[in-house]
Amino acid sequence: MQPIPTRTDSPLEKQKPAAVAGQTLNRGLNVRHIRFMALGSAIGTGLFYGSASAIQKAGPAVLLAYIIGGAAVSMVMRALGEMAVRHPVSGSFSQYASRYLGPLAGFITGWTYVFEMAIVAIADVTAFSIYLGFWFPQVDRWIWILAVICFLAALNLLSVKVFGELEFWFSLIKVAAIIAMIAGGAAIIVFGFQTADSPVAPGLGNLVGHGGLFPNGFEGLLASFAVVMFAFGGVETLGITAGEAADPKSVIPKAVNTVPVRVLLFYVLTLGVLMSLFPWDQVGTSGSPFVQIFSSLGVPAAPHILNAVVITAALSAINSDIFGAGRILFGLSNQGHAPAAFGKVSRHCVPWMTVVMMAGILLVGVVLNAVIPEDVFLVIASIATFATVWVWVMILASHVAMKREIARKGLPASEFPSPWWPAASALTIAFMVLVIAVLGAFEDTRIALYVGAAWLGLLVLAYRLWVKGDGRRRAYLEDETSPLPAVGTAGTTAAAWSRRNQV
């Protein structure tokens, strides 16, 4: 494995492809692409359908669960953002784990993320076929699955800019739909219109008038975290874009800083409006909660509008799954943790073998869709939650190790430091451990711990048997910290942040 060539911070160099182990990835993602990827990553199946399950578990207290979970995810993203600005590489958190925690940690983190993306993508393509079946019930599901795999794989082989444009438009549609739901629902609450689906008058009183804020007690709040954290899964893909961002020192901080806003807007505000329109125990009992909102607005084509939105969400999710898993595999290859073929790029500077492999994995969805009952995918969701939280814990642990090394060696302070260090990092890690414990505390999600433990044991065995040579060494990452200020939070320069948050 060849060392990563050093890049300068000159404007000319920033326009060149990012060199990794003799191969190059184009820096074709601009601020518009990455900002909407950050917005779109929060909107998917977890919001459109999973929210109903979370509400049934916790009642109105689910708003508190989303605030707490969103705060924890925001700290994960700030930690990842700090590392991404310091080391803008395509392998992202797998390479950070390898560099700061050791090669075994990098191997496990990278492959666990690929595993997460693979099982989620299979569920997403199946969901896509179900959505199309609403309009075309006479067409077999596998035809839609095959079509979407070929379509998105072909587009991902073109260039990273094509991926960015797709995500921009997909996310724009989803954001517009959410804003329309919030605005319409708020109008009903303010003007006191009687909804068609509920005998109860709309109003904020519905949040506390049906068993209180905690109708299922504190246990219900804890149980909801399994669903809540699944909904946030995928936001870490934003860190993977650093290796292909046109100006990571500016773009990544701007995108990361949108995480708290989108949590409040897309989850807390949306679900607050929903549970003000309908008592919490009526949400999701007659289909998607978002169909209820559209229906209450008197929109006759509500199911068709929602179906178009969730199809867009599914396409966006599959597109991101292919991109994220592919780039992590590219980084694993350059670390000696995956076959060398995954490190080869096409003339468009795209790691084409990783795209082909993800397409092959998705083809498994064609078979699974025919032979496995749909309720099995509920188990897959809990397994994906375990994998997601594990990756987040490794991101936080890598960040802690990096901060300690900066302090120990007297290195320049980070240009985009994580706030409230080290207390916030310690609390976030403790919360993630709590979420894993919650998975084991309830019978319907306990299998995730068994599968997760077996998967981690399998990876340790694979590392011992097959990873040799350079793969047993820590990843080499060029430190691109610059004395020049980078973008901070709310207009605060990185220099000021550095003085305020010394390592």
Side-chain angles (χ1 to χ4, degrees):
M1 181 176 63
Q2 299 297 320
I4 303 173
T6 302
R7 296 196 304 276
T8 70
D9 290 317
S10 69
L12 178 62
E13 288 297 318
K14 285 183 177 179
Q15 296 172 8
K16 294 181 180 180
V20 183
Q23 300 291 338
T24 60
L25 298 179
N26 266 338
R27 292 193 177 276
L29 297 176
N30 58 38
V31 64
R32 174 172 61 89
H33 296 148
I34 295 179
R35 180 167 289 178
F36 269 83
M37 286 173 62
L39 291 171
S41 62
I43 311 172
T45 305
L47 175 59
F48 286 115
Y49 288 108
S51 57
S53 176
I55 290 172
Q56 292 303 316
K57 289 179 180 296
V62 76
L63 299 178
L64 179 60
Y66 277 110
I67 291 174
I68 295 173
V73 172
S74 296
M75 292 310 304
V76 173
M77 293 306 296
R78 284 303 300 261
L80 180 57
E82 180 175 348
M83 293 188 290
V85 170
R86 200 174 193 98
H87 308 294
V89 295
S90 185
S92 191
F93 38 83
S94 71
Q95 295 211 42
Y96 304 148
S98 179
R99 166 66 178 80
Y100 291 106
L101 302 177
L104 176 59
F107 179 83
I108 292 176
T109 301
W111 280 105
T112 298
Y113 177 78
V114 172
F115 172 71
E116 172 197 346
M117 290 295 99
I119 60 176
V120 170
I122 290 174
D124 286 336
V125 294
T126 300
F128 175 82
S129 69
I130 294 172
Y131 300 152
L132 265 296
F134 177 77
W135 287 330
F136 307 100
Q138 71 279 8
V139 179
D140 292 335
R141 286 185 188 175
W142 69 267
I143 295 177
W144 297 120
I145 295 176
L146 189 61
V148 73
I149 291 171
C150 294
F151 173 69
L152 292 179
L155 290 178
N156 272 269
L157 287 172
L158 295 178
S159 74
V160 71
K161 188 174 183 179
V162 172
F163 166 80
E165 286 296 326
L166 278 174
E167 280 303 295
F168 171 77
W169 290 107
F170 287 157
S171 297
L172 187 62
I173 293 172
K174 294 187 292 185
V175 169
I178 293 293
I179 292 175
M181 293 175 189
I182 294 173
I188 291 176
I189 296 170
V190 171
F191 295 106
F193 298 138
Q194 186 75 23
T195 63
D197 293 342
S198 176
V200 180
L204 297 178
N206 284 328
L207 293 175
V208 294
H210 301 272
L213 189 62
F214 292 84
N216 295 328
F218 186 69
E219 181 179 340
L221 177 67
L222 284 179
S224 71
F225 279 118
V227 181
V228 167
M229 302 314 289
F230 171 75
F232 291 132
V235 295
E236 68 277 2
T237 303
L238 182 63
I240 300 174
T241 65
E244 294 169 272
D247 186 7
K249 292 188 178 184
S250 174
V251 170
I252 296 299
K254 288 178 180 178
V256 168
N257 287 334
T258 65
V259 172
V261 175
R262 72 174 184 258
V263 167
L264 291 174
L265 177 63
F266 295 142
Y267 284 91
V268 178
L269 188 55
T270 302
L271 298 183
V273 168
L274 177 63
M275 288 185 290
S276 296
L277 292 176
F278 308 94
W280 67 270
D281 53 356
Q282 293 182 17
V283 174
T285 57
S286 57
S288 167
F290 292 89
V291 169
Q292 290 180 273
I293 290 183
F294 271 118
S295 298
S296 66
L297 294 175
V299 180
H304 297 282
I305 294 174
L306 178 72
N307 203 51
V309 172
V310 296
I311 285 174
T312 302
L315 287 170
S316 175
I318 300 166
N319 198 39
S320 294
D321 295 341
I322 294 174
F323 173 85
R327 268 44 176 193
I328 286 292
L329 282 170
F330 178 82
L332 288 171
S333 174
N334 289 305
Q335 292 175 246
H337 291 166
F342 292 145
K344 296 180 180 179
V345 299
S346 68
R347 60 188 179 90
H348 298 293
C349 297
V350 171
W352 63 274
M353 271 298 297
T354 65
V355 175
V356 171
M357 193 204 78
M358 280 301 294
I361 291 175
L362 291 179
L363 288 176
V364 176
V366 177
V367 178
L368 292 180
N369 191 63
V371 301
I372 294 183
E374 292 180 12
D375 56 1
V376 171
F377 286 100
L378 296 175
V379 176
I380 289 178
S382 63
I383 296 172
T385 301
F386 174 86
T388 299
V389 174
W390 176 268
V391 170
W392 290 343
V393 169
M394 298 305 287
I395 290 172
L396 292 166
S398 301
H399 177 256
V400 169
M402 183 189 76
K403 297 287 278 188
R404 288 178 174 175
E405 182 174 306
I406 292 173
R408 185 173 64 254
K409 295 184 177 180
L411 301 176
S414 299
E415 297 169 275
F416 183 56
S418 182
W420 307 302
W421 163 264
S425 296
L427 288 174
T428 306
I429 292 174
F431 172 75
M432 294 302 172
V433 173
L434 173 65
V435 173
I436 294 177
V438 166
L439 289 175
F442 296 93
E443 186 176 353
D444 55 348
T445 57
R446 193 169 298 149
I447 189 174
L449 291 189
Y450 301 144
V451 174
W455 170 255
L456 296 179
L458 182 64
L459 287 179
V460 171
L461 180 62
Y463 178 85
R464 301 297 183 194
L465 293 177
W466 292 311
V467 176
K468 307 293 181 184
D470 290 337
R472 294 295 186 100
R473 299 186 179 94
R474 290 177 181 261
Y476 169 76
L477 301 178
E478 185 70 23
D479 190 335
E480 300 195 10
T481 303
S482 168
L484 297 176
V487 178
T489 303
T492 306
T493 64
W497 272 105
S498 297
R499 290 192 296 269
R500 200 179 305 169
N501 295 272
Q502 291 297 319
V503 297

